[in-house]
Amino acid sequence: MFIDRARIFVQSGKGGDGMSSFRHEKFVPKGGPNGGDGGQGGNVILVADRNVNTLVDFRYRRLFKAKPGGKGQGSNKFGRDADDLLIPVPVGTVVRDEESNALLADLSHDGQQAIVAKGGRGGRGNYHFRTSANRAPTFAERGEPGEERWLRLELKVLADVGLLGYPSVGKSSILRKVSAAQPEVAAYHFTTLNPILGVVNLPDQRSFVMADIPGLIDGAAEGVGLGHDFLRHIERTKILIHVLDVSGSEGRDPIEDYEKINGELAKYSEKLSRKQQVIAANKIDLLSDDTNLKRLQQYMDERGRDVFPICAMSGEGLPELMEYVWKLLETYVEEPDETDEEVIYKPEEKPDFEIHRDDDGAFVITGPRIERLVAMTNFDDDMSLRRFQRIWRYMELDKMLQKEGIQEGDTVRIYSMEFEYRK
């Protein structure tokens, strides 16, 4: 089953908790704190794998959670870092954050990796909190929570050459003839519903990958028919073979078909409309005379397009067409990508904290810095609680809450904690 879109939930591992401990050695007075740090939580990493051809695995499994880091131990022993969770995806997978639609990764090379959820930092042991004023701190940090997010995966087929054209013009027949691929061929439209790849082998151990992509119809740029499913897959091809039915056997005019399809390409993407095209005038065996073929050749000459008369059923003209396409691939120069979107992992940039009122009147404080502080604080320990209060005052959160109109006894929520406000 060919699946080219998927939606998954990823969650990186929580950092391990820091340890609160003290040296207990014979004949060593005032041993002092020696609690070790927690280990790093596991990252969630997508890996492009050429042995994976479809996103079908994500149809049945959508939740991916990395393991947490190990807890710190006494004698300044660090907790174990968790292993990263590696998720293989097909080469050509584009990854977006579902909430923001931000592009997180474009995995176009075998072995390419992208971190989509970074593991939490391990909490610091009490050894780090010793000072001249507090030589025996009893508290340690808890591990930082991991990240979690919904992702959208889209597969864009990677092929050197794409077969472009209306349904039933002979694209699948061409691929069957020049490669070992076996796409379905029948006398009805939309026989090909999913992209099919085939390797074209030429003499002297030359080869390239050709894709038979579902047929295009009017309105595809607006999603009509197979619409964007078609257009998305030809974005990655280098050369397009535009297959036209020169015989007019189904009452179609090849020049009109050519203009309509190129119009759809331009609507979808300007870059797509600039891709180099070679015209394959198919079904020459059904021509009663060469009037239609000459008219097409003259029309394409005026536009600088090369025309190759072929018969996909008998193979006539296909060797010359494949050799010509090979020469174009040898001199092909990739057009620079126009997108300015970042395609590597980057933590979300949010303000340190924001304050808003909830429906029940509670004051909710959000932001990565304050949420991380709450998550990593052990509120069951008095010294840890006092440290939290000092940082609270340093961040001047009281002043911010008072500006928002907070009153004595109002509720304050941060992360998973709820407080009662007292001056």
Side-chain angles (χ1 to χ4, degrees):
M1 184 182 298
F2 184 87
I3 302 294
D4 59 0
R5 279 177 291 189
R7 177 175 175 264
I8 63 173
F9 182 80
V10 294
Q11 184 179 59
S12 58
K14 173 184 176 294
D17 294 342
M19 180 71 175
S20 177
S21 68
F22 293 85
R23 290 175 63 186
H24 297 284
E25 298 180 42
K26 194 173 183 180
F27 307 121
V28 180
K30 301 178 181 178
N34 69 348
D37 299 345
Q40 177 82 15
N43 300 318
V44 179
I45 303 177
L46 300 184
V47 184
D49 187 344
R50 64 183 179 184
N51 297 314
V52 180
N53 300 316
T54 175
L55 299 173
V56 67
D57 290 342
F58 303 112
R59 185 174 183 181
Y60 307 105
R61 181 188 175 192
R62 294 188 175 181
L63 175 62
F64 296 86
K65 295 177 66 174
K67 293 183 178 180
K71 295 182 178 180
Q73 301 178 34
S75 302
N76 289 323
K77 293 180 181 178
F78 287 10
R80 186 187 187 93
D81 290 345
D83 293 332
D84 293 334
L85 176 60
L86 303 179
I87 306 174
V89 296
V91 176
T93 299
V94 175
V95 187
R96 290 186 179 273
D97 179 80
E98 184 174 71
E99 183 178 352
S100 65
N101 200 39
L103 181 64
L104 300 181
D106 188 350
L107 303 173
S108 56
H109 308 290
D110 183 43
Q112 186 177 353
Q113 298 186 0
I115 300 175
V116 292
K118 193 171 180 61
R121 174 176 66 84
R124 291 175 292 177
N126 66 334
Y127 175 81
H128 289 278
F129 299 105
R130 71 196 193 287
T131 65
S132 58
N134 183 11
R135 298 184 179 182
T138 59
F139 65 91
E141 283 182 330
R142 289 178 172 169
E144 180 184 17
E147 295 181 337
E148 56 183 44
R149 57 176 20 137
W150 280 97
L151 302 178
R152 284 203 328 269
L153 309 182
E154 290 186 355
L155 175 59
K156 296 183 179 181
V157 166
L158 288 174
D160 300 308
V161 179
L163 291 166
L164 176 70
Y166 269 88
S168 297
V169 295
K171 300 187 300 298
S172 297
S173 297
I174 292 174
L175 188 64
R176 289 173 67 99
K177 203 70 176 179
V178 301
S179 74
Q182 295 295 314
E184 184 181 353
V185 176
Y188 54 86
H189 289 185
F190 295 115
T191 309
T192 304
L193 298 177
N194 301 305
I196 298 173
L197 301 181
V199 177
V200 179
N201 292 304
L202 300 176
D204 302 324
Q205 297 183 334
R206 296 171 297 155
S207 64
F208 58 85
V209 178
M210 180 183 288
D212 173 19
I213 302 172
L216 187 63
I217 63 173
D218 299 340
E222 287 79 38
V224 176
L226 298 176
H228 296 162
D229 290 336
F230 169 91
L231 294 163
R232 182 172 70 252
H233 289 301
I234 64 172
E235 283 184 298
R236 295 290 178 82
T237 57
K238 299 174 181 177
I239 307 294
L240 296 174
I241 297 178
H242 197 146
V243 185
L244 299 172
D245 179 359
V246 74
S247 71
S249 57
E250 296 189 10
R252 311 194 64 88
D253 178 59
I255 295 176
E256 185 179 334
D257 285 356
Y258 171 84
E259 289 295 342
K260 284 183 178 180
I261 285 185
N262 278 282
E264 294 298 330
L265 298 184
K267 289 179 189 176
Y268 182 78
S269 164
E270 189 64 32
K271 181 179 177 180
L272 202 57
S273 67
R274 294 195 299 268
K275 281 189 180 291
Q276 190 164 5
Q277 295 184 21
V278 180
I279 307 302
N282 191 27
K283 303 186 182 181
I284 57 173
D285 55 318
L286 300 180
L287 288 172
S288 55
D289 57 59
D290 59 359
T291 304
N292 220 21
L293 178 59
K294 286 182 177 180
R295 185 171 66 94
L296 177 64
Q297 288 174 324
Q298 181 181 353
Y299 181 85
M300 294 302 170
D301 286 343
E302 295 171 356
R303 285 153 182 77
R305 301 288 194 197
D306 298 294
V307 179
F308 285 80
I310 65 167
C311 174
M313 297 303 293
S314 66
E316 181 183 350
L318 287 177
E320 293 80 8
L321 174 59
M322 296 301 108
E323 286 289 345
Y324 183 75
V325 168
W326 170 260
K327 291 178 182 177
L328 294 179
L329 289 173
E330 282 191 308
T331 58
Y332 175 79
V333 178
E334 183 74 43
E335 183 177 346
D337 198 346
E338 298 174 354
T339 181
D340 294 325
E341 293 178 285
E342 188 67 52
V343 294
I344 60 174
Y345 174 81
K346 185 169 66 174
E348 294 183 60
E349 295 182 3
K350 295 181 179 179
D352 284 345
F353 54 84
E354 294 178 319
I355 300 174
H356 66 272
R357 298 292 295 272
D358 212 343
D359 294 338
D360 61 357
F363 290 79
V364 181
I365 304 178
T366 58
R369 185 179 174 191
I370 187 65
E371 289 176 1
R372 186 164 55 244
L373 174 63
V374 170
M376 299 179 73
T377 297
N378 180 8
F379 290 96
D380 296 328
D381 181 87
D382 290 339
M383 292 185 68
S384 183
L385 180 58
R386 286 198 293 271
R387 174 176 177 266
F388 174 81
Q389 291 171 335
R390 287 196 303 271
I391 297 174
W392 177 283
R393 287 193 294 271
Y394 175 77
M395 296 174 70
E396 298 185 333
L397 287 171
D398 276 337
K399 292 182 180 179
M400 297 290 294
L401 287 168
Q402 288 165 12
K403 284 183 181 180
E404 295 293 327
I406 195 167
Q407 300 295 324
E408 187 88 9
D410 284 346
T411 300
V412 179
R413 291 197 191 101
I414 309 174
Y415 194 54
S416 59
M417 298 295 293
E418 191 169 283
F419 309 91
E420 188 175 294
Y421 181 74
R422 291 279 182 266
K423 292 184 181 179

